[in-house]
Short mmCIF file of all heavy atoms in Angstrom, two decimals:
data_model
loop_
_atom_site.label_atom_id
_atom_site.label_comp_id
_atom_site.label_asym_id
_atom_site.label_seq_id
_atom_site.Cartn_x
_atom_site.Cartn_y
_atom_site.Cartn_z
N ASN A 796 -54.30 6.46 -10.20
CA ASN A 796 -55.03 5.69 -11.21
C ASN A 796 -55.16 6.45 -12.52
O ASN A 796 -56.24 6.53 -13.11
CB ASN A 796 -56.42 5.29 -10.69
CG ASN A 796 -56.42 3.98 -9.95
OD1 ASN A 796 -55.42 3.56 -9.37
ND2 ASN A 796 -57.57 3.30 -9.96
N THR A 797 -54.06 7.01 -12.98
CA THR A 797 -54.08 7.76 -14.23
C THR A 797 -52.95 7.33 -15.15
O THR A 797 -51.89 6.87 -14.71
CB THR A 797 -53.98 9.28 -14.00
OG1 THR A 797 -52.76 9.57 -13.31
CG2 THR A 797 -55.16 9.79 -13.22
N VAL A 798 -53.19 7.50 -16.44
CA VAL A 798 -52.15 7.35 -17.45
C VAL A 798 -52.19 8.60 -18.32
O VAL A 798 -53.28 9.07 -18.68
CB VAL A 798 -52.34 6.06 -18.28
CG1 VAL A 798 -53.70 6.04 -18.97
CG2 VAL A 798 -51.21 5.90 -19.29
N ALA A 799 -51.03 9.17 -18.59
CA ALA A 799 -50.95 10.41 -19.33
C ALA A 799 -50.28 10.22 -20.67
O ALA A 799 -49.45 9.33 -20.85
CB ALA A 799 -50.20 11.46 -18.53
N LEU A 800 -50.65 11.05 -21.62
CA LEU A 800 -50.00 11.11 -22.92
C LEU A 800 -49.53 12.54 -23.13
O LEU A 800 -50.35 13.45 -23.29
CB LEU A 800 -50.95 10.69 -24.04
CG LEU A 800 -50.34 10.62 -25.44
CD1 LEU A 800 -49.35 9.45 -25.53
CD2 LEU A 800 -51.43 10.48 -26.49
N GLN A 801 -48.23 12.74 -23.07
CA GLN A 801 -47.64 14.05 -23.33
C GLN A 801 -47.34 14.16 -24.81
O GLN A 801 -46.56 13.37 -25.35
CB GLN A 801 -46.36 14.24 -22.51
CG GLN A 801 -45.64 15.56 -22.75
CD GLN A 801 -46.44 16.75 -22.29
OE1 GLN A 801 -46.98 16.75 -21.19
NE2 GLN A 801 -46.51 17.78 -23.13
N MET A 802 -47.96 15.12 -25.47
CA MET A 802 -47.83 15.29 -26.91
C MET A 802 -47.10 16.59 -27.20
O MET A 802 -47.60 17.67 -26.87
CB MET A 802 -49.21 15.28 -27.58
CG MET A 802 -50.05 14.05 -27.25
SD MET A 802 -51.62 14.02 -28.15
CE MET A 802 -52.42 15.45 -27.42
N ASN A 803 -45.94 16.48 -27.80
CA ASN A 803 -45.13 17.64 -28.15
C ASN A 803 -45.02 17.76 -29.67
O ASN A 803 -45.27 16.80 -30.39
CB ASN A 803 -43.73 17.53 -27.54
CG ASN A 803 -43.75 17.47 -26.04
OD1 ASN A 803 -44.55 18.14 -25.38
ND2 ASN A 803 -42.84 16.67 -25.48
N SER A 804 -44.65 18.94 -30.13
CA SER A 804 -44.46 19.19 -31.56
C SER A 804 -45.65 18.70 -32.37
O SER A 804 -45.50 18.00 -33.38
CB SER A 804 -43.17 18.53 -32.05
OG SER A 804 -42.05 19.00 -31.33
N LEU A 805 -46.84 19.07 -31.94
CA LEU A 805 -48.05 18.58 -32.57
C LEU A 805 -48.17 19.03 -34.02
O LEU A 805 -47.78 20.14 -34.38
CB LEU A 805 -49.27 19.03 -31.78
CG LEU A 805 -49.53 18.22 -30.50
CD1 LEU A 805 -50.47 18.97 -29.58
CD2 LEU A 805 -50.09 16.85 -30.86
N LYS A 806 -48.70 18.13 -34.83
CA LYS A 806 -48.91 18.36 -36.25
C LYS A 806 -50.39 18.28 -36.58
O LYS A 806 -51.14 17.62 -35.86
CB LYS A 806 -48.15 17.32 -37.08
CG LYS A 806 -46.67 17.20 -36.78
CD LYS A 806 -46.07 16.03 -37.54
CE LYS A 806 -44.59 15.89 -37.26
NZ LYS A 806 -44.01 14.74 -38.00
N PRO A 807 -50.83 18.91 -37.66
CA PRO A 807 -52.23 18.77 -38.06
C PRO A 807 -52.66 17.32 -38.22
O PRO A 807 -53.83 16.99 -37.96
CB PRO A 807 -52.30 19.53 -39.38
CG PRO A 807 -51.25 20.57 -39.26
CD PRO A 807 -50.13 19.90 -38.51
N GLU A 808 -51.75 16.45 -38.63
CA GLU A 808 -52.04 15.03 -38.79
C GLU A 808 -52.36 14.33 -37.47
O GLU A 808 -52.87 13.21 -37.47
CB GLU A 808 -50.87 14.30 -39.45
CG GLU A 808 -50.37 14.94 -40.73
CD GLU A 808 -49.25 15.92 -40.49
OE1 GLU A 808 -48.08 15.48 -40.46
OE2 GLU A 808 -49.54 17.12 -40.33
N ASP A 809 -52.07 14.98 -36.34
CA ASP A 809 -52.39 14.42 -35.03
C ASP A 809 -53.83 14.68 -34.63
O ASP A 809 -54.29 14.18 -33.61
CB ASP A 809 -51.47 15.00 -33.95
CG ASP A 809 -50.01 14.63 -34.17
OD1 ASP A 809 -49.73 13.46 -34.51
OD2 ASP A 809 -49.14 15.51 -33.98
N THR A 810 -54.55 15.48 -35.41
CA THR A 810 -55.95 15.78 -35.12
C THR A 810 -56.78 14.51 -35.11
O THR A 810 -56.80 13.76 -36.09
CB THR A 810 -56.51 16.77 -36.13
OG1 THR A 810 -55.83 18.03 -36.01
CG2 THR A 810 -58.00 17.00 -35.90
N ALA A 811 -57.46 14.25 -34.01
CA ALA A 811 -58.25 13.03 -33.85
C ALA A 811 -58.93 13.05 -32.50
O ALA A 811 -58.63 13.89 -31.66
CB ALA A 811 -57.36 11.78 -33.96
N VAL A 812 -59.84 12.11 -32.31
CA VAL A 812 -60.34 11.83 -30.98
C VAL A 812 -59.40 10.80 -30.36
O VAL A 812 -59.13 9.76 -30.95
CB VAL A 812 -61.78 11.28 -31.00
CG1 VAL A 812 -62.25 10.93 -29.59
CG2 VAL A 812 -62.72 12.31 -31.62
N TYR A 813 -58.91 11.09 -29.18
CA TYR A 813 -57.96 10.22 -28.50
C TYR A 813 -58.66 9.43 -27.41
O TYR A 813 -59.41 9.99 -26.61
CB TYR A 813 -56.82 11.04 -27.90
CG TYR A 813 -55.81 11.49 -28.93
CD1 TYR A 813 -56.16 12.45 -29.87
CD2 TYR A 813 -54.53 10.94 -28.98
CE1 TYR A 813 -55.25 12.85 -30.84
CE2 TYR A 813 -53.63 11.33 -29.94
CZ TYR A 813 -53.99 12.29 -30.87
OH TYR A 813 -53.07 12.68 -31.82
N TYR A 814 -58.41 8.13 -27.39
CA TYR A 814 -59.02 7.21 -26.45
C TYR A 814 -57.96 6.46 -25.66
O TYR A 814 -56.88 6.19 -26.17
CB TYR A 814 -59.86 6.16 -27.18
CG TYR A 814 -60.98 6.68 -28.03
CD1 TYR A 814 -60.77 7.00 -29.37
CD2 TYR A 814 -62.26 6.84 -27.51
CE1 TYR A 814 -61.81 7.47 -30.16
CE2 TYR A 814 -63.30 7.30 -28.30
CZ TYR A 814 -63.06 7.62 -29.63
OH TYR A 814 -64.09 8.07 -30.41
N CYS A 815 -58.28 6.10 -24.44
CA CYS A 815 -57.44 5.16 -23.71
C CYS A 815 -58.19 3.86 -23.52
O CYS A 815 -59.42 3.80 -23.62
CB CYS A 815 -56.96 5.73 -22.37
SG CYS A 815 -58.24 6.06 -21.15
N ALA A 816 -57.46 2.79 -23.28
CA ALA A 816 -58.05 1.48 -23.11
C ALA A 816 -57.09 0.57 -22.35
O ALA A 816 -55.89 0.85 -22.27
CB ALA A 816 -58.37 0.85 -24.47
N VAL A 817 -57.65 -0.49 -21.80
CA VAL A 817 -56.83 -1.52 -21.18
C VAL A 817 -56.33 -2.45 -22.28
O VAL A 817 -57.09 -2.86 -23.15
CB VAL A 817 -57.64 -2.32 -20.14
CG1 VAL A 817 -56.83 -3.50 -19.61
CG2 VAL A 817 -58.06 -1.40 -18.99
N VAL A 818 -55.04 -2.75 -22.26
CA VAL A 818 -54.44 -3.64 -23.23
C VAL A 818 -54.41 -5.05 -22.69
O VAL A 818 -53.87 -5.29 -21.61
CB VAL A 818 -53.00 -3.19 -23.56
CG1 VAL A 818 -52.36 -4.14 -24.57
CG2 VAL A 818 -52.99 -1.76 -24.09
N ARG A 819 -55.01 -5.98 -23.43
CA ARG A 819 -54.94 -7.39 -23.08
C ARG A 819 -53.67 -7.98 -23.64
O ARG A 819 -53.33 -7.75 -24.80
CB ARG A 819 -56.15 -8.14 -23.62
CG ARG A 819 -57.35 -8.12 -22.71
CD ARG A 819 -58.45 -9.01 -23.26
NE ARG A 819 -59.30 -8.31 -24.20
CZ ARG A 819 -59.62 -8.75 -25.41
NH1 ARG A 819 -59.15 -9.91 -25.84
NH2 ARG A 819 -60.41 -8.03 -26.19
N GLY A 820 -52.97 -8.76 -22.83
CA GLY A 820 -51.73 -9.36 -23.27
C GLY A 820 -50.59 -8.38 -23.17
O GLY A 820 -50.68 -7.33 -22.53
N SER A 821 -49.50 -8.71 -23.83
CA SER A 821 -48.31 -7.88 -23.84
C SER A 821 -48.51 -6.63 -24.69
O SER A 821 -49.21 -6.66 -25.69
CB SER A 821 -47.13 -8.70 -24.38
OG SER A 821 -46.01 -7.87 -24.64
N ILE A 822 -47.89 -5.53 -24.30
CA ILE A 822 -47.94 -4.33 -25.13
C ILE A 822 -47.19 -4.54 -26.44
O ILE A 822 -47.43 -3.81 -27.40
CB ILE A 822 -47.38 -3.08 -24.41
CG1 ILE A 822 -45.89 -3.24 -24.08
CG2 ILE A 822 -48.18 -2.79 -23.15
CD1 ILE A 822 -45.24 -1.96 -23.61
N TRP A 823 -46.32 -5.53 -26.48
CA TRP A 823 -45.57 -5.85 -27.69
C TRP A 823 -46.32 -6.79 -28.61
O TRP A 823 -46.08 -6.78 -29.83
CB TRP A 823 -44.22 -6.46 -27.33
CG TRP A 823 -43.43 -5.59 -26.39
CD1 TRP A 823 -43.28 -5.76 -25.05
CD2 TRP A 823 -42.74 -4.39 -26.74
NE1 TRP A 823 -42.51 -4.74 -24.53
CE2 TRP A 823 -42.17 -3.90 -25.54
CE3 TRP A 823 -42.53 -3.70 -27.93
CZ2 TRP A 823 -41.41 -2.73 -25.52
CZ3 TRP A 823 -41.77 -2.54 -27.91
CH2 TRP A 823 -41.22 -2.07 -26.70
N SER A 824 -47.20 -7.59 -28.06
CA SER A 824 -48.03 -8.51 -28.84
C SER A 824 -49.41 -8.59 -28.19
O SER A 824 -49.78 -9.61 -27.61
CB SER A 824 -47.39 -9.89 -28.93
OG SER A 824 -47.10 -10.40 -27.63
N PRO A 825 -50.17 -7.50 -28.26
CA PRO A 825 -51.48 -7.45 -27.60
C PRO A 825 -52.48 -8.41 -28.24
O PRO A 825 -52.42 -8.68 -29.44
CB PRO A 825 -51.92 -6.00 -27.78
CG PRO A 825 -51.20 -5.55 -29.02
CD PRO A 825 -49.87 -6.25 -28.97
N THR A 826 -53.40 -8.90 -27.44
CA THR A 826 -54.45 -9.78 -27.93
C THR A 826 -55.79 -9.06 -28.05
O THR A 826 -56.74 -9.61 -28.59
CB THR A 826 -54.61 -11.00 -27.02
OG1 THR A 826 -54.90 -10.59 -25.68
CG2 THR A 826 -53.33 -11.83 -27.01
N GLY A 827 -55.88 -7.84 -27.52
CA GLY A 827 -57.11 -7.08 -27.61
C GLY A 827 -57.09 -5.88 -26.69
O GLY A 827 -56.12 -5.66 -25.96
N TYR A 828 -58.18 -5.11 -26.73
CA TYR A 828 -58.29 -3.89 -25.94
C TYR A 828 -59.67 -3.83 -25.31
O TYR A 828 -60.67 -4.15 -25.95
CB TYR A 828 -58.04 -2.67 -26.82
CG TYR A 828 -56.77 -2.80 -27.64
CD1 TYR A 828 -56.82 -3.23 -28.96
CD2 TYR A 828 -55.53 -2.54 -27.07
CE1 TYR A 828 -55.65 -3.38 -29.69
CE2 TYR A 828 -54.37 -2.69 -27.80
CZ TYR A 828 -54.43 -3.11 -29.11
OH TYR A 828 -53.28 -3.26 -29.84
N ASP A 829 -59.71 -3.41 -24.08
CA ASP A 829 -60.96 -3.41 -23.31
C ASP A 829 -61.21 -2.07 -22.64
O ASP A 829 -60.30 -1.28 -22.43
CB ASP A 829 -60.92 -4.48 -22.22
CG ASP A 829 -60.82 -5.89 -22.77
OD1 ASP A 829 -61.51 -6.19 -23.76
OD2 ASP A 829 -60.05 -6.68 -22.19
N TYR A 830 -62.46 -1.84 -22.30
CA TYR A 830 -62.88 -0.71 -21.46
C TYR A 830 -62.50 0.64 -22.04
O TYR A 830 -61.90 1.49 -21.37
CB TYR A 830 -62.32 -0.86 -20.04
CG TYR A 830 -62.63 -2.18 -19.40
CD1 TYR A 830 -61.61 -3.10 -19.14
CD2 TYR A 830 -63.93 -2.52 -19.07
CE1 TYR A 830 -61.90 -4.32 -18.55
CE2 TYR A 830 -64.23 -3.74 -18.48
CZ TYR A 830 -63.20 -4.63 -18.23
OH TYR A 830 -63.49 -5.85 -17.64
N TRP A 831 -62.86 0.85 -23.28
CA TRP A 831 -62.59 2.13 -23.94
C TRP A 831 -63.23 3.29 -23.19
O TRP A 831 -64.36 3.18 -22.70
CB TRP A 831 -63.13 2.11 -25.37
CG TRP A 831 -62.47 1.11 -26.24
CD1 TRP A 831 -62.92 -0.13 -26.55
CD2 TRP A 831 -61.23 1.28 -26.94
NE1 TRP A 831 -62.04 -0.76 -27.40
CE2 TRP A 831 -61.00 0.08 -27.65
CE3 TRP A 831 -60.30 2.32 -27.04
CZ2 TRP A 831 -59.87 -0.11 -28.45
CZ3 TRP A 831 -59.18 2.13 -27.83
CH2 TRP A 831 -58.97 0.94 -28.52
N GLY A 832 -62.52 4.40 -23.12
CA GLY A 832 -63.10 5.62 -22.58
C GLY A 832 -63.96 6.31 -23.61
O GLY A 832 -64.17 5.82 -24.72
N GLN A 833 -64.46 7.50 -23.26
CA GLN A 833 -65.36 8.24 -24.15
C GLN A 833 -64.60 9.05 -25.19
O GLN A 833 -65.19 9.50 -26.18
CB GLN A 833 -66.26 9.17 -23.34
CG GLN A 833 -65.70 10.55 -23.02
CD GLN A 833 -64.57 10.54 -22.00
OE1 GLN A 833 -64.32 9.54 -21.34
NE2 GLN A 833 -63.90 11.68 -21.87
N GLY A 834 -63.32 9.25 -24.98
CA GLY A 834 -62.49 9.99 -25.91
C GLY A 834 -62.42 11.47 -25.61
O GLY A 834 -63.32 12.04 -24.99
N THR A 835 -61.33 12.10 -26.05
CA THR A 835 -61.17 13.54 -25.93
C THR A 835 -60.63 14.08 -27.25
O THR A 835 -59.73 13.50 -27.85
CB THR A 835 -60.25 13.91 -24.74
OG1 THR A 835 -60.23 15.33 -24.56
CG2 THR A 835 -58.83 13.40 -24.94
N GLN A 836 -61.22 15.17 -27.73
CA GLN A 836 -60.89 15.71 -29.05
C GLN A 836 -59.61 16.53 -28.99
O GLN A 836 -59.48 17.44 -28.17
CB GLN A 836 -62.04 16.59 -29.56
CG GLN A 836 -61.75 17.27 -30.90
CD GLN A 836 -61.73 16.31 -32.06
OE1 GLN A 836 -62.64 15.49 -32.21
NE2 GLN A 836 -60.68 16.38 -32.89
#
């Protein structure tokens, strides 16, 4: 029950709080996002 994001060649512009969420609809034409996590810096 996990989804991972492998981040390589990181740049200062990548600095942010990263969140995961459930995507409603197609990933190509989403209708919304649900159940946001707390985020990780």
